[in-house]
Structure formats: C-alpha cells, structure tokens
C-alpha cells in the first residue's frame, strides 16, 4: 500500500522549507552574498521546523512529495537514515538524477555519479589512493610537513596584522590543498582552482545550464599535465601508483577531491570559531595540540571538526534515487515506495533537532569520542554506508593537523557576528565567509619562530 503523501502546494512548500537554504546557498559552490542573507534569517531553521511538522502529522516513516515530473521521498525517521545510506547502490542509488546533472559539469567520470561495475572500479581506485579506513595515510609525514609550512606562513601574515578573515584563510587553504593534491609546484596555480570554481558555480543550476564542455576540457587538461609528472609526495602521485583500467579514468576522480577539500576548509574555519568562543573545549584542544607528535591522529581535534560538520553540515542535502519498489516498516503500517522517486535526507533537520538530540545546539566534541554519536544513526557528517566519503580519514587528518598548528602558533578571538556563546544555543546557520578573528602570537611558538628564521 502507498505511504504518506503530499501533493500540490503543500508538497512544494515542504520541499522549499527542507531544501531552500541548501539550494539558495549553492549546493555545489557556495554563494558568498547569499550565505550572509541566510545567516541573518537563520534559514536552516525552516528545515528543522518543517521536519517537526511532518512528524507531528504523519508520525514515523517517509513522506512522499508528488511534484510535477518528479516524486521526492523525504526521510523523517532517524533510523531510516542509517538504512538508506547502508543500502547503496541498491535500492538507494547515490547516482541521483539531479546530482548527475550537476556534477557532470566538472567530474563527468566521478564515482558519485557512476553506476554498475564501473562505479565499483572507480570506488576501489578512490579508496586505494585515499587509503580509506586508515587514520594516517602513508604520506602523512610529508603531508604534515607541508601543513606545518603553510600554517607558519598563514600565521606569520595574520599575527603581523593581528587579524585573519575568511578571504585570507581561504587563499591559504587552497595553497595547501593544491600542494597536497597536485604537488608543491601547484601552490600558486590559482587558475586551476578558479576554473574549477566556475564549473562548480555552473553546476549549482543543474538541469538549467548546459554542460560547459570546453571549460571542462581545459580544466581536465590542466589536471593531466600535473599527472604526467606527478610528484610522489602528493595525492596525485599516490593515484598514479594505483592499477586501473583506462575506462576507470583515475585522474577523473581528482576534481571531486578538490571539491571535497573546499567543504573541509569551511568546516575547519567554523571549528576555529567554535574553539575561539568555548574556553573548556579550547583548553582541551590546545593541550592535545601542544603535546602531540607529528604526524598524529589527534582524536580530540578530529572530534572538533566532526562536531563543526554536525552543527553546520557541508552536505546539507543527501540525495538518492529509489531503483526498485521499497517496503517500509514490518508491522500493520507497512507501505511501499515505488521505484523512480528521488529520496531526500535533509541533514540539518536531523543534526540540529532538539527533540531527538539533547546536544542539538551545543558544541560537544566528546560525543564523537565517548560513543554517544553512534547512538544516533541520523548523525552523518561524512555520509555513511558503502557510499560514505572515501576521503573522510584523510580530510580529518589534514584539518586536525592544520588546526593543531594554528592553536600551537596563535590565539584566536572571534570578532565577527553572530557571537558563538556556550551559554546560548548556537546559530543554526553560520556563514563561514563572514568569519573574522583577532590573532595574537604565542610568543613561545616554535611554528612562528621557524617561519621568521
């Protein structure tokens, strides 16, 4: 039997509330001005309130929105989040129709939009190069050296002026990312990441914008030039050592790595803002940073980054396509979703739900260390299941290591608004592009002393 359904204006209004902030901000490339507007209106709160309304009206179980030309199944039950993500690619296919239309702009052969045997091959290539499941990549030592170098340069500039804003952080972050992914020779190659940004901006419009083939080809040509002389201590160098068929297109996986590192930078800048405003957590983070060897797993700092992504998901909308008729529930309320629908998980509506999470609007890194997070299957900062982010461990290593270098080298005070106060609920929308800090050197810092020597 069919399940809960909404049609017409109510269906459109529901989708608008759940997806408005994510689509308006830019699902593939964040729109800086729009992020400021969304922060001022705390737009993500609409998704939380709409989810409450759906549960109040229908109880547990997905709600199907019947829209012109498309059916969208909205997951409302926290337990169903784990089920959906755990059953990929069938019956819940990550290569969703809307996602394919968007990502083809800059990664037409990316694993996220691949299907069948070629998806399995591309996933295996990604996991081999990124060393999925290993807290420390085999290149952790040279990577840590690059991170320390870029941190020293960034902090030297910031402490000389006493400030660090989002634009300065973003420039420094992309220099680091290019060195890690493409090699140190790419440090100042702003053109390649600017070109990717333009392709991602076009991808925001999905079906409405034709594929920019020429721009995509020029971007790919740039990647292949780096691959032809790949530096061994780069991710591209690691990729060239992975055995793969030509159809797999290993280099064609790199655009998504760069895309993912953009989200990692947003999460890191917000983690700095959280630590700058939460004295107890800052003390624990600084203590770990000061006593850690290099390279290190840094569990508390990783937890801070995970908590940043929980509070402000960098993938606010998780999309799947339902590939076969799917039954929900095993009792008298059993119902079926017919194949062909899109499926939507509004991450922020789960991550910031005060009805189900006692810590919904608080900064609580410890949940990722003491086992509490595992009690909540709806907490999926890096997705979950067979299609979970294959670079999660690497991203957490890079962000936590840079965070450690920053905390060892300087003290940060958040000077931008909104203020993040541990005594009040954190804002549900936070514009990373608006973050600004006052920066003061730690005079005993070996990082800054090295950068000035």
């Amino acid at each position: 039997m069919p399940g809960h359904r909404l049609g017409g204006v109510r269906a459109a209004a529901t989708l608008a509330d759940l997806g408005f902030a994510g689509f308006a901000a830019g699902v593939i490339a964040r729109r800086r001005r729009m992020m400021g507007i969304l922060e001022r209106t705390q737009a993500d709160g609409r998704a939380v309130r709409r989810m409450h309304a759906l549960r109040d009206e229908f109880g547990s179980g997905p709600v199907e929105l019947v829209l012109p030309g498309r059916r969208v199944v909205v997951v409302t039950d926290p337990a169903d989040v784990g089920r959906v993500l755990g059953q990929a690619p069938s019956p819940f296919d990550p290569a969703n129709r809307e996602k394919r239309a968007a990502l083809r702009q800059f990664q037409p052969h990316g694993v996220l939009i691949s299907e069948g045997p070629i998806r399995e091959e591309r996933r295996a290539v990604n996991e081999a190069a990124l060393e999925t499941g290993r807290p420390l990549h085999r290149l952790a030592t040279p990577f840590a050296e690059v991170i320390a170098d870029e941190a020293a340069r960034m902090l030297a500039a910031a402490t000389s002026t006493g400030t660090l804003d989002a634009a300065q952080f973003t420039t420094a972050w992309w220099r680091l990312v290019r060195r890690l992914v493409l090699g140190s020779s790419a440090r100042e190659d702003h053109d390649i990441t600017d070109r990717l940004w333009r392709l991602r901006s076009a991808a925001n419009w999905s079906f409405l914008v034709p594929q920019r083939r020429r721009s995509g080809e020029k971007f790919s040509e740039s990647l292949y030039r780096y691959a032809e002389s790949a530096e061994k201590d780069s991710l591209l160098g690691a990729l060239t050592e992975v055995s793969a068929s030509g159809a797999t297109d290993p280099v064609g996986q790199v655009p998504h790595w760069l895309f993912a590192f953009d989200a990692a930078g947003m999460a890191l800048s917000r983690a700095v803002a959280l630590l700058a405003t939460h004295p107890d957590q800052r003390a624990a983070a600084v203590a770990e940073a000061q006593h850690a060897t290099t390279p290190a797993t840094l569990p508390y700092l990783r937890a801070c980054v995970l908590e940043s992504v929980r509070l402000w998901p960098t993938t606010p909308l998780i999309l799947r396509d339902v590939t076969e008729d799917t039954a929900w529930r095993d009792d008298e309320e059993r119902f079926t979703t017919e194949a062909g629908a899109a499926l939507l998980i509004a991450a922020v509506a789960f991550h910031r739900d005060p009805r189900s999470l006692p810590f919904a609007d608080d900064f609580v890194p410890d949940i990722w260390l003491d086992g509490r997070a595992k009690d909540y299957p709806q907490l999926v900062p890096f997705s979950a299941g067979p299609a979970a982010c294959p670079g999660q461990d690497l991203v957490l290593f890079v962000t936590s290591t840079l965070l450690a270098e920053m905390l060892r080298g300087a003290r940060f005070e958040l000077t931008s608004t909104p203020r993040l106060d541990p005594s009040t609920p954190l804002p549900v929308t936070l514009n990373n592009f608006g973050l600004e800090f006052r920066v003061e050197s730690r005079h005993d810092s070996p990082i800054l002393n090295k950068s000035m020597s």
Side-chain angles (χ1 to χ4, degrees), residues 48-367:
V48 178
R49 292 188 294 272
R50 176 62 71 168
M51 186 64 72
H52 289 168
L54 290 175
R55 291 184 191 138
D56 290 344
E57 181 174 357
F58 297 109
S60 65
V63 176
E64 185 170 308
L65 310 180
V66 182
L67 300 159
R70 192 64 157 148
R71 293 178 293 119
V72 180
V73 177
V74 176
V75 174
T76 65
D77 192 316
D80 287 335
V81 174
R83 177 198 170 179
V84 167
L85 298 181
Q87 295 181 338
S90 178
F92 305 112
D93 191 354
N96 158 268
R97 184 197 305 177
E98 287 77 15
K99 191 186 299 181
R100 292 198 307 270
L103 297 184
R104 65 177 180 171
Q105 288 281 0
F106 61 95
Q107 51 167 307
H109 298 157
V111 65
L112 270 185
I113 56 175
S114 300
E115 299 176 282
I118 196 66
R119 177 193 179 275
E120 296 179 9
E121 293 178 26
R122 287 170 177 163
R123 176 75 190 195
V125 165
N126 275 272
E127 292 186 354
L130 301 174
E131 299 192 5
T132 305
R134 292 187 58 182
L136 291 179
H137 195 279
R138 65 178 177 80
L139 295 177
T141 296
F143 280 0
E145 293 172 355
V146 171
I147 293 168
D149 178 56
E150 291 298 334
R153 297 183 195 220
M154 177 175 63
L155 292 180
T159 54
S160 68
T161 62
T163 61
L164 178 68
D165 63 21
Q168 294 166 319
F169 173 83
T170 300
T171 299
W173 173 250
W174 277 112
R175 285 189 173 116
L176 169 61
V177 170
R178 287 192 295 268
R179 290 181 69 179
L180 296 178
V181 177
L182 304 176
S184 290
S185 61
R187 182 179 189 268
E188 297 299 332
D189 190 355
H190 301 280
D191 181 70
I192 193 168
T193 40
D194 287 348
R195 189 180 298 278
L196 174 60
W197 179 264
R198 290 191 291 272
L199 289 167
R200 289 172 53 198
S201 296
N204 278 340
W205 298 100
S206 190
F207 293 103
L208 302 178
V209 174
Q211 189 170 359
R212 298 186 176 180
R213 297 186 183 278
R214 184 55 187 151
S215 295
E217 289 170 359
K218 288 183 178 179
F219 171 66
S220 295
E221 289 168 3
S222 298
L223 287 181
Y224 275 94
R225 282 197 294 272
Y226 281 109
E228 289 168 359
S229 55
E231 298 176 25
K232 64 182 182 65
D233 287 343
S234 68
L235 281 179
L236 196 52
L239 180 66
T240 60
E241 296 179 7
V242 177
S243 177
S245 67
T248 305
D249 188 13
V251 177
Q253 311 311 305
V254 176
H256 191 76
W257 300 355
L258 295 169
F259 173 36
F261 269 118
D262 187 22
M266 291 188 286
L268 176 57
S269 64
R270 289 166 173 156
V272 175
L274 287 164
L275 291 172
T277 53
H278 289 70
D280 292 343
Q281 292 87 338
R282 178 174 62 237
V286 169
E288 182 175 80
Q290 290 178 331
H291 293 96
T293 57
T294 301
T297 54
L298 302 170
Y300 191 79
L301 292 174
R302 288 184 182 223
C304 290
V305 176
L306 283 168
E307 189 64 345
S308 170
V309 184
R310 178 190 70 84
L311 288 163
W312 301 290
T314 51
T315 304
L317 305 171
I318 301 175
L319 298 174
R320 297 288 187 265
D321 273 352
V322 182
T323 60
E324 57 189 68
D325 292 356
T326 302
W328 307 88
R329 306 295 175 263
D330 295 322
D331 52 24
E332 64 277 4
E333 296 182 2
R334 178 184 176 93
F335 60 92
T336 300
T337 295
E338 294 180 358
L343 185 142
L344 171 67
I345 298 172
V348 69
F350 290 103
H351 288 196
R352 299 298 293 273
D353 180 8
R355 292 187 183 180
S356 60
L357 301 177
F359 46 79
D361 298 319
D362 300 324
F363 176 45
V364 192
D366 284 337
I367 67 170

Side-chain angles (χ1 to χ4, degrees), residues 9-57:
V9 173
R10 291 190 67 200
T14 298
L15 184 62
D17 281 347
L18 294 172
F20 170 75
F23 283 110
V27 175
I28 309 299
R30 297 295 190 272
R31 302 180 177 100
R32 291 170 173 82
R33 289 185 179 179
M34 181 56 69
M35 283 292 295
I37 296 171
L38 296 173
E39 179 186 72
R40 288 192 293 275
T41 60
Q42 289 296 289
D44 286 295
R46 292 175 59 178
V48 178
R49 292 188 294 272
R50 176 62 71 168
M51 186 64 72
H52 289 168
L54 290 175
R55 291 184 191 138
D56 290 344
E57 181 174 357

Side-chain angles (χ1 to χ4, degrees), residues 162-166 168 272-273 276-277 411-420 434-440:
T163 61
L164 178 68
D165 63 21
Q168 294 166 319
V272 175
T277 53
R411 298 177 180 85
F412 295 84
E413 177 188 349
L414 184 67
T415 56
S416 55
T417 55
R419 303 296 185 187
L420 307 184
L435 295 176
E436 294 183 1
F437 302 91
R438 181 175 295 114
V439 185
E440 179 184 349

